[in-house]
Amino acid sequence: MKFKAEVKVMLKPSVLDPQGAALERALRSMGRRNVDSVRVGKLIELVLEADGAAAAEALAAAWADELLANPVMEKYSCVVAPL
Amino acid sequence: MTSPRTAVVVFPGSNCDRDNVRSWRAVTGLEAELVWHKETSLPDYDLIIVPGGFSFGDYLRCGAIARFSPVMSEVARLAARGSLVLGICNGFQILTEARLLPGALTRNRDLKYICKDVTLRVENASSAFTSRYAPGQVLRIPVSHGEGGWSASLRELKELQDQNRVVFRYCAPDGSVSPQDAPNGSLDNIAGVLNERGNVMGLMPHPERLAEEILGGVDGRGVFLSLLEAASGGLKR
């Protein structure tokens, strides 16, 4: 079966995110005073072959551990759906 | 003393590989071999330089793809054997991605690519990479990077500090260290670190760009001279 996996990669909260900080300042300077914090991450879409949703998610997570995210500075989450 | 056998690894997108060969030759009078990243078996080099550049276009994260190149298994094997491994700039990023060095390099604090001379303080002058410098010596060396902010957990940072594995810190020209002296926002102003065994070092600044008078300065020479001494058997590891 084919699945689509979305892997969301974010910098850990403890890691400085200058892009997020710049966007936060931009929103404030646009007068959007409700903004509290902004963090910027990556969304990676994969199409993969697996026996079931659980297997697809396990694969996506394994690939995230291996390559897609750097556990030293990032955390990730995976969402899987059949295609 | 035997002449150390030296290699400079070349990835698609490396752009400081030849500079390192040239500086190694200019400083030590010895040759260095260029090694393509697809190599699966290397001779037992005494010294491997992983050079700067933009391996694989810096896609995903700097160094994230290069670390899976076939040659990196050999670099890891030689590091485990005790050979010296020096990662400069993108080379440093690759070695952290490969977990041969601690921490990670993240986007510069001010989001800008920085290409300028910075001043560095030698924090550990007893390593294989820095023995020819004096402790606390201030060097002027260029940086050229967009992702050079070194980051790690506080536990890892403390371990590095306690084990004297911080080799260089960004400093003011008078040698004092405060956060604004780190152009990229590096944690604890860290510019270069050692692995636990002391035979792998990474740094963001480019010693090979300031190793001959014709380049405008020679503050980078000490790295190559230290390596020559260590790789020739002058230092016990």
Side-chain angles (χ1 to χ4, degrees), chain A residues 9 11-12 14-20 22 25 42 44 64-74, chain B residues 60-61 64-65 67-68 96-97 99 102-111 151-153 156 184-185:
Chain A
V9 181
L11 286 169
K12 287 179 180 171
S14 58
V15 176
L16 182 74
D17 173 15
Q19 282 191 92
R25 283 194 299 275
K42 296 171 196 158
I44 300 165
D65 281 326
E66 210 178 358
L67 171 67
L68 305 178
N70 178 344
V72 175
M73 58 176 170
E74 294 170 328
Chain B
L60 188 64
R61 296 177 309 276
I65 300 175
R67 72 155 286 208
F68 289 105
T96 59
E97 284 283 345
R99 310 282 182 268
L105 283 313
T106 61
R107 190 60 98 73
N108 291 346
R109 179 180 47 206
D110 297 331
L111 295 170
S151 172
S153 68
E156 254 181 325
N184 46 30

Side-chain angles (χ1 to χ4, degrees), chain B residues 4 28 32 42 55 58 75 82 84 99 105-106 111 124 136 140 154 161-162 175 230:
Chain B
T28 67
L42 298 185
S55 58
D58 276 352
V75 172
L84 295 163
R99 310 282 182 268
L105 283 313
T106 61
L111 295 170
N124 175 345
R140 179 176 64 89
L154 291 178
Q161 292 164 337
D162 291 349

Side-chain angles (χ1 to χ4, degrees), chain B residues 28-236:
Chain B
T28 67
L30 299 174
E31 291 304 314
E33 296 163 38
L34 290 170
V35 170
W36 183 235
H37 76 116
K38 291 284 196 190
E39 293 293 336
T40 52
S41 169
L42 298 185
D44 287 348
Y45 289 107
D46 302 294
L47 167 63
I48 296 179
I49 299 175
V50 188
F54 301 85
S55 58
F56 296 91
D58 276 352
Y59 292 167
L60 188 64
R61 296 177 309 276
C62 307
I65 300 175
R67 72 155 286 208
F68 289 105
S69 278
V71 76
M72 289 307 294
S73 310
E74 283 294 277
V75 172
R77 178 182 71 79
L78 292 175
R81 169 188 173 269
S83 298
L84 295 163
V85 181
L86 170 65
I88 300 170
C89 197
N90 188 223
F92 184 14
Q93 295 164 335
I94 294 168
L95 294 178
T96 59
E97 284 283 345
R99 310 282 182 268
L100 291 171
L101 286 172
L105 283 313
T106 61
R107 190 60 98 73
N108 291 346
R109 179 180 47 206
D110 297 331
L111 295 170
K112 288 189 188 118
Y113 192 96
I114 303 169
C115 186
K116 64 172 188 182
D117 285 358
V118 298
T119 39
L120 294 182
R121 191 170 76 187
V122 179
E123 304 289 11
N124 175 345
S126 56
S127 80
F129 304 83
T130 51
S131 60
R132 296 293 288 263
Y133 294 117
Q137 188 175 341
V138 175
L139 313 176
R140 179 176 64 89
I141 294 199
V143 292
S144 178
H145 61 247
E147 282 92 356
W150 187 83
S151 172
S153 68
L154 291 178
R155 185 186 50 78
E156 254 181 325
L157 173 65
K158 181 158 191 317
E159 199 176 285
L160 283 189
Q161 292 164 337
D162 291 349
Q163 299 173 355
N164 200 20
R165 288 163 54 197
V166 177
V167 186
F168 296 110
R169 279 199 174 86
Y170 300 103
C171 67
D174 69 359
S176 64
V177 169
S178 55
Q180 71 265 22
D181 299 318
N184 46 30
S186 255
L187 189 61
D188 196 28
N189 282 46
I190 287 175
V193 298
L194 275 175
N195 69 340
E196 198 168 355
R197 184 169 172 181
N199 67 321
V200 181
M201 182 184 84
L203 79 170
M204 288 312 294
H206 287 270
E208 81 282 11
R209 292 193 189 177
L210 223 49
E212 294 174 77
E213 288 292 357
I214 197 173
L215 299 175
V218 293
D219 282 8
R221 286 176 71 90
V223 171
F224 297 105
L225 288 171
S226 304
L227 283 169
L228 175 65
E229 190 173 279
S232 305
L235 273 186
K236 284 254 179 340

Side-chain angles (χ1 to χ4, degrees), chain A residues 10 17-25 27-28 35-40:
Chain A
M10 299 295 294
D17 173 15
Q19 282 191 92
L23 290 184
E24 189 183 321
R25 283 194 299 275
L27 283 167
R28 271 188 222 290
V35 64
D36 198 46
S37 83
V38 182
R39 305 280 292 173
V40 175

